Amino acid sequence: MSRDDPIAAILAGLGRGESGTSDHDLNPGTRLPPGRRLRPAGVLVPLVGTGGAARVILTKRSSALRHHPGQIAFPGGKQDAQDADIRATALREAREEIGLDPAQVAVLGFLPRHETVTGFDVTPVLARVQGGFTPVPDHGEVAEVFEVPLSHLLDRGRYRVERRRWKGDWRRYYAVPYGPYYIWGATARILRMMAELAGQP
């Protein structure tokens, strides 16, 4: 791939028809209930900058939240009845959580879907943020908005497999730390898939 245009490499990788990912990828012994129903959700993977200087916007969730407090996440959430489609879900959530105007967003494509251990079918919407953007976080949900160089996230050598206890069992997951930010779980798995699409070693 061309390291000068990693975004183009990701988009080219989308054409390969990669299958979706899952929180269960690293836990092959997991027994999933038959007929389980997953709740649709959409997250925005917002890119700022171009070429080798591109960065990904991420959030640190509020520690006051009931679910996943303090964790690193993409802007996003479950699909609501009023959302026209999953793209609309991701754009709505990004506006609510970090103040990103949908008019500033150019959707580039959809990364492979990801199933979470909490029962969500997540569609990551890859997008470029156009023009100047100053985040306005909803402090009820978001403690911090920050950026990570895309080059860091596309380097598969930076990912490691770790484990922790969850509901009495050991579960393995990907982590890709960046400075003081511990990026792990579903967010790290989606980002690793993006690195795989880009063809980075």
Side-chain angles (χ1 to χ4, degrees):
M1 66 165 266
S2 170
R3 294 182 181 272
D4 294 331
D5 195 353
I7 298 174
I10 296 168
L11 296 178
L14 291 178
R16 296 201 300 264
E18 297 283 353
S19 59
T21 59
S22 167
D23 283 350
H24 312 300
D25 287 351
L26 299 174
N27 301 278
T30 302
R31 295 184 179 179
L32 300 175
R36 70 190 187 285
R37 294 186 178 181
L38 300 176
R39 292 165 289 178
V43 298
L44 195 70
V45 184
L47 302 171
V48 293
T50 59
R55 304 175 304 282
V56 177
I57 298 173
L58 291 171
T59 72
K60 183 176 182 181
R61 291 168 59 83
S62 168
S63 60
L65 290 173
R66 180 179 177 184
H67 299 292
H68 311 294
Q71 291 185 15
I72 304 304
F74 299 107
K78 65 181 178 63
Q79 186 173 27
D80 287 349
Q82 69 267 25
D83 295 334
D85 49 30
I86 210 68
R87 173 183 178 277
T89 299
L91 292 175
R92 173 181 57 76
E93 290 280 355
R95 182 167 205 163
E96 293 173 0
E97 292 182 10
I98 65 173
L100 179 57
D101 187 343
Q104 285 188 258
V105 179
V107 172
L108 303 176
F110 300 89
L111 300 176
R113 286 155 56 177
H114 179 84
E115 177 180 344
T116 71
V117 71
T118 50
F120 285 97
D121 178 12
V122 180
T123 298
V125 181
L126 184 66
R128 188 189 299 276
V129 177
Q130 305 175 115
F133 169 59
T134 301
V136 182
D138 175 351
H139 293 294
E141 293 190 57
V142 176
E144 186 179 352
V145 182
F146 62 99
E147 298 175 359
V148 181
L150 182 59
S151 59
H152 178 89
L153 299 171
L154 294 187
D155 181 355
R156 280 185 274 177
R158 297 186 181 276
Y159 290 78
R160 60 197 193 210
V161 176
E162 300 186 350
R163 67 174 190 163
R164 64 174 57 188
R165 301 283 287 187
W166 191 76
K167 293 188 176 181
D169 293 321
W170 285 104
R171 291 193 61 83
R172 293 175 175 80
Y173 56 88
Y174 283 110
V176 56
Y178 176 71
Y181 304 107
Y182 184 64
I183 307 167
W184 69 286
T187 302
R189 184 66 187 97
I190 291 169
L191 289 168
R192 182 178 168 84
M193 167 54 77
M194 192 164 68
E196 293 167 3
L197 290 169
Q200 285 277 28

